[in-house]
Amino acid sequence: MPGPGAPLELREFDRPDPEPGGVLLRTLGSEVCGTDAHLWKGQLAGVPYPIIPGHVSVGQIAEIGPADASAPPPTDVSGAPLVVGQIVTFLDVYGTCGRCWYCTVGHATTRCPARKVYGVTLSADDGLLGGWSEYIYLRPGVHVVPLPAELHWRAFLAGGCGMPTALHAVTLGEIAFGDTVVVQGAGPVGLCAAVLAQLRGAGSVIVVGGPELRLDAATRFGADAVIDIGSTTPQERLATIREMTGGRGADVTIEATGAPTAVPEGMRLTRDAGRYVVVGQYTDAGDAGFNPHLDLNQKHLDIRGCWGSDVGHVHRAVRVMARYAQQFPWTELISREYALDDAQTALEDVAAQRVVKALIIP
Amino acid sequence: MPGPGAPLELREFDRPDPEPGGVLLRTLGSEVCGTDAHLWKGQLAGVPYPIIPGHVSVGQIAEIGPADASAPPPTDVSGAPLVVGQIVTFLDVYGTCGRCWYCTVGHATTRCPARKVYGVTLSADDGLLGGWSEYIYLRPGVHVVPLPAELHWRAFLAGGCGMPTALHAVTLGEIAFGDTVVVQGAGPVGLCAAVLAQLRGAGSVIVVGGPELRLDAATRFGADAVIDIGSTTPQERLATIREMTGGRGADVTIEATGAPTAVPEGMRLTRDAGRYVVVGQYTDAGDAGFNPHLDLNQKHLDIRGCWGSDVGHVHRAVRVMARYAQQFPWTELISREYALDDAQTALEDVAAQRVVKALIIP
Amino acid sequence: MPGPGAPLELREFDRPDPEPGGVLLRTLGSEVCGTDAHLWKGQLAGVPYPIIPGHVSVGQIAEIGPADASAPPPTDVSGAPLVVGQIVTFLDVYGTCGRCWYCTVGHATTRCPARKVYGVTLSADDGLLGGWSEYIYLRPGVHVVPLPAELHWRAFLAGGCGMPTALHAVTLGEIAFGDTVVVQGAGPVGLCAAVLAQLRGAGSVIVVGGPELRLDAATRFGADAVIDIGSTTPQERLATIREMTGGRGADVTIEATGAPTAVPEGMRLTRDAGRYVVVGQYTDAGDAGFNPHLDLNQKHLDIRGCWGSDVGHVHRAVRVMARYAQQFPWTELISREYALDDAQTALEDVAAQRVVKALIIP
Amino acid sequence: MPGPGAPLELREFDRPDPEPGGVLLRTLGSEVCGTDAHLWKGQLAGVPYPIIPGHVSVGQIAEIGPADASAPPPTDVSGAPLVVGQIVTFLDVYGTCGRCWYCTVGHATTRCPARKVYGVTLSADDGLLGGWSEYIYLRPGVHVVPLPAELHWRAFLAGGCGMPTALHAVTLGEIAFGDTVVVQGAGPVGLCAAVLAQLRGAGSVIVVGGPELRLDAATRFGADAVIDIGSTTPQERLATIREMTGGRGADVTIEATGAPTAVPEGMRLTRDAGRYVVVGQYTDAGDAGFNPHLDLNQKHLDIRGCWGSDVGHVHRAVRVMARYAQQFPWTELISREYALDDAQTALEDVAAQRVVKALIIP
């Protein structure tokens, strides 16, 4: 991705020699997510174009850098040494410093100024630091998470970055057994949230979104009801959800849309004293208006912004996807797979919401 | 149940006329739970024998008391008026005052001194205040929870009081996605906890208990592993669970056994900085020893005693059982049903752990 | 208060005879709060004018209704019987049903539809149900909280309803030791919040508000810094607070202003991953705009609407005010006391922010 | 400290040259805490004798290692570069890996196997890695916390490691406004907990401990009541605390004693549905017995083991001590200061509880 708006280019790189602590992956697949479309449209600040997109990927370990005094052999989070041939994913974020105020006092590592993101804030000029590539070079310190045998790598990528993101959001939602959960948005994050709400024992899961392709996926993955935003007004949606909830509204609402107007709507869809998690406003798409008295204070609503994931979220996402793979056929979320030289089409299909989940298979 | 140790007797009562706010149920079924065995053995203090046992029951509304100025027509928690013919359950606990320190400041209504419990702390001399009876009289103020069409009353009773109890315990356990959960005990509370842990997205559920009949049920209801306490030592169990968890132990352990020695064992089965919920020590079965340094402080363990349920737990249990009835065939938990004149056998079967769940069908 | 906008009138009532469970208070004092100004301007919906204003009051028990079978002798929350001559306050809210969905499942009793509020939602046509009166009649079921000897009734009223309201808000703020706390608003709620933040071990408390009279009170009550909204722009305030906090913003912000634009400003004054409690938007004063990406999601802010108090908040407020009375000279918050026939002046002084706290002394 | 039980020796070391990222401190003072007495008695496992004791110390920066590519200039947690001449403390724990399961998934960094502790798990053979020394060498990566001008270094050391430890424990205690807090133990941790409970707005703080010297300090630092364990039985203490709390017991109890029998006693001193934090069982002093039914389950008690501190706790402790230095005259906690060659006496005075807080002034 040479720059905002410019067509993707295929480039050749030398195969890197891993330094001590580094790991070279042979890429098996990488996802195309909404963030990649945002990157292409230049909607994120501070991106060092050219970049190799692809922040959530799976590969097979091809080579491990030599151990030396400064860099012990790389391990996974459980402390087991990595092995050539292993199939692994990795957290796109690395470099979190462990020393700054946010890391040590605020305990909000996603706000660490030192963090770097594969496929987003690392330049192609610095190496194979993104997933849409035959090989990915993992610098020393990147967190590597092996996939267990029960979880095929395609199944993991079917969730992609949507799964740890949704896992973070649903965790913040503190869903109680039997709660009615409304999910705004039927993209990968929304669909993963709808599944995970069922794995918190929700009493009912309602997905508000579109288009039909995605709502059908929501239904196949267990949503109790879907509401198409293409054919309803906000007033109708509010009335429908009130009717489904004894007049009260959702106990917990998860926003995963990207549209600013969805936020005040979500506040209204949530019951008094309910909880609202906003995870979809990943780029600046403008302002929204709300009524502080009616929508927040009198309602005594609890609103939680959710941004970014840490290695714990990825580790847990892998565990959950492996454990419940029988119940939820993850790979059905994959609409289409694209070769590297077809990445431009993939990007356009994602931007146009023509697919649920698109993969790049180099 | 005329008194501790004495054989059960069948008695005839006049059919009561409901007072304003009262409701008469035609009993469909009532459960036999471990508490009933404790009652029979005289292990609970303050029981006003003779009592009619049976604290969790389902019935059909036969008659509703006349409304008057002091008692508006009885409603369910959503405010809908009750109707003759409806199939309902009710919270065995009523009379919580809403005015004492525990109700208003401590927000621990299970500690309200005014609370009364159907089938436990209400005497048969005062009426049909227990479930092992053809009719049950619900005094004004008893919380009534209708069963939705998707949840057959037998399915609800298959969980019985074990389900809201386990729901309370699992909620306190704050299971995170992907956690390893150990459940100590394979009786109704333990089995329900093992199911509910899966509905919190546990990564692995291990049931430690017995006998085989109950462990088989645990496996059928999704436990990833079972450990038979009849054929293992505490040291072996600790070693097995450490091995399953990268040497760390369970993230969350739920105790549902009734045996004091299970408590220090459960502390050890839990990982450092994990959480341990103790719900099974419902009667005084003696002391246990532990090491405050090793088992608690250095471990920085979080231990939570869990006792009693409120109407929210029953309401949520009904919602969850109805929503996930396809996935979990609740009625398979019922080992046997007994007529009223066979209640003595039921009690003995439960006390001897010859059954998973026993029902009285009057 | 005969109706919105109309001048207050002094009326004579017969002294009521307490029914069983009822209590008659000889009023010692009652506060004038911002809500009374809102009531007078007709800014609250559903008010059954004429009303006797005054929802937080202190009185001496003049008479207690006779006990009978339906109404045991009234007690305080600790269960001690009330005694003629005792000096007490009471929770303005009563009638919370203990049976509806919000009371039993949602555990949000402030949303119970049955709740009634002394001085707000009870009509003068129904009796002495407000504090600006020589006597106040407490219906059966009203929660009575005796004042301990260490807390003079004037000191309690100096906090008035601001204290339990602020206590609720500060509790929701979950201030950690050493946190920087910004309080928006220097009225009674804001001042009480500034004090209570110090009683949570805040590292620094900054009050943003006006006019000078109130900011001086903030300083006297321990605020580390005050910022006058009359002489600063939002940009300047943001810059000042960033400078005081290493560029990050407040760890916790408490809104207590009533102005809708204060809400987006408060979001910006709070650091990334901080917490923002909105308690001041008690009436509908219009909409506000914000940027869901910048102000909420990327910030991963936690926003909590706070509305209403329960008896636990009043009980705790009394305990705290009594315990820390040496450290905080509460009565200095009282700017002026007014006789009953001067209540109109009191109302106008409060509406014009000419006083910090005004009392009616009948 | 050459080994368990052996008399302390004074040794000479060469003044170290800081490596890149390292910092050399000229020691101003170091505390003697109960852990040092445990170390001397050989009650901690895995200690690499000989060691230089002293894990919480204050010094003036004498020299900073040269910056190079691998080690940027050392900074404090707010990101400000350290400066020669600054007066600082540091977290005794360093080396937490940020990569293991406990660091990344469990979020319990005190359980990271890579952590090292100055004055405890670092050998004198490896350098000046403890505080009872004229200079202290801070290895690259040690967390340095500058003391603000308002907090004299003697005042900080008067709290010593007791303050961040108590801050951690009191935070876990989640004290609510107006709560009754019982602190078991009147050593430095207990006294700091008694102070911090007041800075959480406790309604009443009761210290149970001894000897008189320490109880007097508790009273001077604001405890509402003290109970001498030397002249009371557990039954008497239970009766006294019940009497002070309307028969209920403490809302929150903090254990800071080191005696195993204090733990079941603390469970009983706490009210039903209260919270009990165990922080004092730092070494293995044997087992204790309790009744799982009466002391835990029926009580539905919440028990939390608390062990170790992180840099956030130290940062917050410094902020709190600086902010409330007027209210609490910290230096009064210092009973006596000792020169380096008198360290043996200091150790014996601490072991015999003849002092509240002892400092080594090299």
Side-chain angles (χ1 to χ4, degrees):
Chain A
M1 191 178 278
L8 296 191
E9 291 170 17
L10 214 56
R11 292 198 191 163
E12 297 265 332
F13 288 79
D14 289 338
R15 173 176 160 148
D17 273 335
E19 66 206 294
V23 171
L24 186 69
L25 293 189
R26 175 71 187 88
T27 312
L28 291 168
S30 184
E31 68 157 358
V32 186
C33 99
T35 299
D36 299 309
H38 292 313
L39 284 167
W40 186 50
K41 294 178 186 164
Q43 291 166 333
L44 270 78
V47 177
Y49 298 100
I51 60 166
I52 303 175
H55 48 279
V56 172
S57 312
V58 172
Q60 193 160 18
I61 296 181
E63 196 178 340
I64 296 176
D68 73 4
S70 75
T75 58
D76 64 21
V77 295
S78 73
L82 300 179
V83 180
V84 170
Q86 241 179 336
I87 295 177
V88 303
T89 186
F90 60 94
L91 180 66
D92 52 349
V93 173
Y94 88 104
T96 304
C97 74
R99 303 192 53 74
C100 72
W101 190 92
Y102 279 108
C103 281
T104 59
V105 181
H107 294 298
T109 60
T110 50
R111 300 282 79 197
C112 172
R115 71 201 288 274
K116 296 281 178 189
V117 188
Y118 269 72
V120 181
T121 69
L122 292 165
S123 172
D125 296 340
D126 292 329
L128 296 170
L129 306 172
W132 300 5
S133 169
E134 292 177 349
Y135 285 87
I136 309 171
Y137 179 57
L138 305 185
R139 288 181 169 175
V142 171
H143 294 282
V144 176
V145 181
L147 298 188
E150 312 88 274
L151 183 63
H152 190 273
W153 64 263
R154 268 195 167 80
F156 174 73
L157 282 180
C161 78
M163 187 55 80
T165 303
L167 188 145
H168 188 181
V170 170
T171 299
L172 283 181
E174 292 182 28
I175 296 168
F177 283 116
D179 272 355
T180 296
V181 177
V182 164
V183 177
Q184 296 177 288
V189 174
L191 291 172
C192 288
V195 167
L196 291 172
Q198 296 169 66
L199 291 175
R200 293 312 266 178
S204 170
V205 178
I206 305 165
V207 175
V208 178
E212 209 184 332
L213 172 76
R214 292 178 163 196
L215 294 180
D216 287 350
T219 302
R220 277 203 317 279
F221 276 78
D224 297 85
V226 298
I227 300 178
D228 191 333
I229 54 166
S231 59
T232 52
T233 64
Q235 289 69 26
E236 288 168 348
R237 296 193 285 269
L238 179 59
T240 303
I241 285 170
R242 288 254 169 100
E243 199 190 312
M244 288 171 167
T245 54
R248 290 185 303 267
D251 296 299
V252 177
T253 302
I254 313 278
E255 184 277 339
T257 69
T261 54
V263 176
E265 179 175 346
M267 294 163 80
R268 287 159 204 154
L269 296 179
T270 311
R271 71 163 165 90
D272 287 3
R275 213 158 8 251
Y276 184 36
V277 180
V278 175
V279 66
Q281 306 287 320
Y282 190 70
T283 53
D284 182 355
D287 282 9
F290 77 114
N291 185 291
H293 170 62
L294 296 173
D295 296 332
L296 177 54
N297 191 343
Q298 192 192 51
K299 238 185 144 62
H300 40 80
L301 194 64
D302 190 342
I303 307 178
R304 300 178 180 187
C306 175
W307 194 88
S309 304
D310 67 25
V311 65
H313 298 122
V314 176
H315 176 85
R316 292 180 183 282
V318 166
R319 298 251 310 162
V320 167
M321 294 187 80
R323 172 62 172 75
Y324 300 95
Q326 299 297 322
Q327 191 178 339
F328 298 102
W330 308 115
T331 50
E332 289 185 17
L333 288 170
I334 303 172
S335 297
R336 194 171 152 195
E337 301 183 351
Y338 304 78
L340 260 191
D341 54 14
D342 216 18
Q344 181 69 38
T345 316
L347 209 48
E348 288 166 14
D349 285 351
V350 166
Q353 304 197 351
R354 279 191 291 265
V355 290
V356 178
K357 176 58 82 177
L359 299 191
I360 302 290
I361 308 293
Chain B
M1 191 177 277
L8 296 192
E9 289 170 16
L10 215 55
R11 292 197 190 163
E12 297 265 335
F13 289 79
D14 288 339
R15 174 177 160 146
D17 273 334
E19 66 206 295
V23 171
L24 186 69
L25 294 189
R26 174 71 186 88
T27 311
L28 292 168
S30 184
E31 67 156 359
V32 186
C33 98
T35 299
D36 299 309
H38 292 314
L39 285 166
W40 185 50
K41 294 177 185 164
Q43 291 167 332
L44 271 78
V47 177
Y49 299 98
I51 60 167
I52 304 175
H55 50 279
V56 172
S57 313
V58 172
Q60 193 160 19
I61 296 181
E63 195 177 343
I64 296 175
D68 74 5
S70 74
T75 59
D76 63 23
V77 294
S78 73
L82 300 178
V83 179
V84 169
Q86 242 180 335
I87 295 177
V88 303
T89 186
F90 60 94
L91 180 67
D92 52 350
V93 173
Y94 88 104
T96 304
C97 74
R99 303 192 52 75
C100 72
W101 191 92
Y102 279 108
C103 281
T104 59
V105 181
H107 295 297
T109 59
T110 50
R111 300 283 78 197
C112 172
R115 71 200 288 273
K116 295 281 179 189
V117 188
Y118 270 71
V120 181
T121 67
L122 291 165
S123 173
D125 295 340
D126 293 329
L128 295 170
L129 306 172
W132 300 3
S133 168
E134 292 177 349
Y135 286 87
I136 309 171
Y137 179 57
L138 305 185
R139 289 181 169 175
V142 171
H143 295 282
V144 175
V145 180
L147 298 188
E150 311 89 271
L151 184 64
H152 190 274
W153 63 263
R154 271 196 164 79
F156 174 74
L157 282 180
C161 77
M163 187 56 79
T165 302
L167 188 145
H168 188 181
V170 170
T171 298
L172 283 181
E174 291 182 28
I175 295 168
F177 282 117
D179 272 356
T180 297
V181 177
V182 164
V183 177
Q184 296 177 287
V189 175
L191 291 171
C192 288
V195 166
L196 291 172
Q198 298 169 63
L199 291 175
R200 292 313 265 178
S204 170
V205 178
I206 305 165
V207 174
V208 178
E212 209 183 333
L213 171 77
R214 292 178 162 194
L215 294 181
D216 287 350
T219 301
R220 276 203 317 279
F221 277 77
D224 297 85
V226 298
I227 300 178
D228 190 333
I229 53 165
S231 59
T232 52
T233 64
Q235 287 71 27
E236 287 167 348
R237 297 193 285 270
L238 179 59
T240 303
I241 285 171
R242 288 255 169 100
E243 199 190 312
M244 288 171 168
T245 54
R248 290 186 304 267
D251 296 300
V252 177
T253 302
I254 312 279
E255 184 277 337
T257 69
T261 56
V263 176
E265 180 175 346
M267 294 164 81
R268 287 158 204 157
L269 296 179
T270 311
R271 70 163 166 91
D272 287 2
R275 213 155 12 249
Y276 184 35
V277 180
V278 174
V279 65
Q281 307 288 319
Y282 190 69
T283 52
D284 183 354
D287 282 9
F290 77 114
N291 185 292
H293 170 62
L294 296 173
D295 296 331
L296 176 55
N297 192 343
Q298 192 193 51
K299 237 184 146 63
H300 38 82
L301 195 64
D302 190 342
I303 307 177
R304 300 179 179 186
C306 175
W307 194 87
S309 305
D310 67 25
V311 66
H313 297 123
V314 175
H315 175 85
R316 292 179 183 284
V318 166
R319 299 251 307 162
V320 167
M321 294 188 80
R323 172 62 173 75
Y324 299 94
Q326 298 297 322
Q327 190 178 339
F328 298 102
W330 308 114
T331 49
E332 291 184 16
L333 289 169
I334 303 171
S335 297
R336 195 172 151 194
E337 300 183 352
Y338 304 79
L340 260 191
D341 54 12
D342 215 18
Q344 181 69 37
T345 316
L347 207 49
E348 288 167 13
D349 285 350
V350 165
Q353 305 196 349
R354 278 190 292 264
V355 289
V356 178
K357 176 59 79 176
L359 299 192
I360 303 290
I361 308 293
Chain C
M1 191 178 278
L8 297 192
E9 290 170 16
L10 215 54
R11 292 197 193 164
E12 297 264 334
F13 290 79
D14 288 339
R15 174 178 160 145
D17 272 334
E19 66 207 293
V23 171
L24 186 69
L25 293 190
R26 174 70 187 88
T27 312
L28 292 168
S30 184
E31 67 157 359
V32 186
C33 98
T35 298
D36 299 308
H38 292 314
L39 285 166
W40 185 50
K41 294 178 186 164
Q43 291 167 333
L44 269 79
V47 177
Y49 298 97
I51 60 167
I52 304 175
H55 49 279
V56 171
S57 313
V58 172
Q60 194 160 18
I61 296 180
E63 195 177 342
I64 296 174
D68 73 4
S70 75
T75 59
D76 63 23
V77 294
S78 72
L82 300 178
V83 179
V84 169
Q86 244 180 333
I87 296 177
V88 303
T89 186
F90 60 93
L91 181 66
D92 51 349
V93 173
Y94 87 105
T96 304
C97 74
R99 304 192 52 76
C100 72
W101 190 91
Y102 279 108
C103 281
T104 58
V105 181
H107 294 298
T109 58
T110 51
R111 300 283 80 196
C112 171
R115 72 201 286 274
K116 296 281 179 190
V117 188
Y118 269 71
V120 181
T121 68
L122 292 165
S123 173
D125 295 341
D126 293 329
L128 296 171
L129 306 172
W132 300 5
S133 168
E134 292 177 349
Y135 285 88
I136 309 171
Y137 178 57
L138 305 184
R139 289 180 169 175
V142 171
H143 294 282
V144 176
V145 180
L147 298 187
E150 310 89 273
L151 183 64
H152 190 272
W153 63 264
R154 271 196 165 79
F156 174 73
L157 283 180
C161 77
M163 187 55 79
T165 303
L167 189 145
H168 189 182
V170 170
T171 299
L172 283 180
E174 292 182 28
I175 296 168
F177 282 117
D179 272 356
T180 296
V181 177
V182 164
V183 177
Q184 296 176 287
V189 174
L191 291 172
C192 288
V195 167
L196 291 172
Q198 297 168 65
L199 291 175
R200 293 312 266 177
S204 171
V205 178
I206 304 165
V207 174
V208 178
E212 208 183 332
L213 171 77
R214 291 177 164 196
L215 294 180
D216 287 349
T219 302
R220 275 203 318 280
F221 276 78
D224 296 86
V226 298
I227 300 178
D228 191 332
I229 53 166
S231 59
T232 52
T233 65
Q235 288 70 27
E236 288 167 348
R237 295 193 286 269
L238 180 58
T240 303
I241 285 170
R242 287 254 169 102
E243 199 190 311
M244 287 171 168
T245 54
R248 291 185 304 267
D251 296 299
V252 177
T253 302
I254 312 279
E255 185 278 337
T257 69
T261 54
V263 176
E265 179 175 346
M267 294 164 81
R268 287 159 204 154
L269 295 179
T270 311
R271 72 164 166 90
D272 287 3
R275 210 155 14 248
Y276 184 35
V277 179
V278 175
V279 65
Q281 307 288 320
Y282 190 69
T283 53
D284 183 354
D287 282 10
F290 77 114
N291 185 290
H293 170 62
L294 296 173
D295 296 332
L296 177 54
N297 192 342
Q298 191 193 52
K299 237 184 146 64
H300 38 79
L301 195 64
D302 189 342
I303 307 178
R304 302 179 178 184
C306 174
W307 194 88
S309 304
D310 66 25
V311 66
H313 298 123
V314 176
H315 174 85
R316 292 178 183 284
V318 166
R319 298 252 309 163
V320 167
M321 294 187 80
R323 173 62 172 76
Y324 300 96
Q326 298 298 321
Q327 191 178 339
F328 299 102
W330 308 115
T331 49
E332 290 185 16
L333 289 169
I334 304 171
S335 297
R336 196 173 150 193
E337 301 184 352
Y338 304 78
L340 260 190
D341 54 14
D342 215 16
Q344 181 69 37
T345 316
L347 209 47
E348 288 166 14
D349 285 350
V350 165
Q353 305 196 348
R354 277 192 292 264
V355 289
V356 178
K357 177 58 81 177
L359 300 192
I360 302 290
I361 307 293
Chain D
M1 192 179 278
L8 296 191
E9 290 170 17
L10 213 56
R11 291 197 192 164
E12 296 265 333
F13 289 79
D14 288 338
R15 174 176 159 148
D17 274 333
E19 66 206 294
V23 171
L24 186 69
L25 293 189
R26 174 70 187 87
T27 312
L28 291 168
S30 185
E31 67 156 0
V32 186
C33 98
T35 299
D36 299 308
H38 292 315
L39 285 166
W40 185 50
K41 294 178 185 163
Q43 291 167 333
L44 270 78
V47 177
Y49 298 98
I51 60 166
I52 303 175
H55 49 278
V56 172
S57 312
V58 172
Q60 193 161 18
I61 296 182
E63 196 178 340
I64 296 175
D68 73 5
S70 75
T75 58
D76 64 22
V77 294
S78 73
L82 300 179
V83 180
V84 169
Q86 243 179 334
I87 295 177
V88 303
T89 187
F90 60 93
L91 180 67
D92 52 350
V93 173
Y94 87 105
T96 304
C97 74
R99 303 192 53 75
C100 71
W101 191 92
Y102 279 108
C103 281
T104 59
V105 181
H107 294 297
T109 59
T110 51
R111 300 282 80 197
C112 172
R115 72 200 288 273
K116 296 283 179 187
V117 189
Y118 269 71
V120 181
T121 68
L122 291 165
S123 172
D125 295 340
D126 293 328
L128 296 170
L129 306 172
W132 299 5
S133 169
E134 292 177 348
Y135 286 87
I136 309 172
Y137 179 56
L138 305 185
R139 289 180 170 175
V142 170
H143 294 282
V144 175
V145 181
L147 297 188
E150 310 89 274
L151 184 64
H152 191 273
W153 63 264
R154 270 196 165 80
F156 174 74
L157 283 180
C161 77
M163 187 56 78
T165 303
L167 188 146
H168 188 181
V170 170
T171 299
L172 283 180
E174 291 181 29
I175 296 168
F177 282 117
D179 272 357
T180 296
V181 176
V182 164
V183 177
Q184 296 176 288
V189 174
L191 290 172
C192 288
V195 167
L196 291 171
Q198 296 169 65
L199 290 175
R200 294 312 266 177
S204 171
V205 178
I206 304 164
V207 175
V208 177
E212 208 183 333
L213 171 77
R214 292 178 163 194
L215 294 180
D216 287 349
T219 302
R220 276 203 316 279
F221 277 77
D224 297 85
V226 298
I227 300 178
D228 191 333
I229 54 167
S231 59
T232 52
T233 64
Q235 287 70 26
E236 286 167 348
R237 295 193 286 268
L238 179 59
T240 302
I241 285 170
R242 289 253 169 101
E243 198 190 311
M244 287 170 168
T245 54
R248 290 185 303 267
D251 296 298
V252 177
T253 302
I254 313 276
E255 183 277 338
T257 69
T261 53
V263 176
E265 178 175 346
M267 295 164 81
R268 287 158 205 156
L269 295 179
T270 311
R271 70 163 166 90
D272 287 4
R275 210 155 14 248
Y276 184 36
V277 179
V278 174
V279 65
Q281 307 288 319
Y282 189 70
T283 53
D284 183 354
D287 282 9
F290 78 114
N291 185 290
H293 170 62
L294 296 173
D295 296 331
L296 176 54
N297 191 343
Q298 191 193 52
K299 236 184 146 64
H300 39 78
L301 194 64
D302 190 341
I303 307 178
R304 301 179 178 185
C306 175
W307 194 88
S309 305
D310 67 26
V311 65
H313 298 120
V314 175
H315 175 84
R316 292 179 183 284
V318 166
R319 298 251 309 162
V320 167
M321 294 187 81
R323 172 62 173 77
Y324 299 95
Q326 299 297 322
Q327 192 178 338
F328 297 102
W330 308 115
T331 50
E332 289 184 17
L333 289 169
I334 303 171
S335 298
R336 195 172 150 194
E337 302 183 351
Y338 303 79
L340 261 190
D341 55 12
D342 215 19
Q344 181 69 38
T345 316
L347 208 48
E348 287 167 15
D349 285 350
V350 166
Q353 304 195 349
R354 278 191 291 264
V355 289
V356 178
K357 175 59 81 176
L359 300 191
I360 302 290
I361 308 293

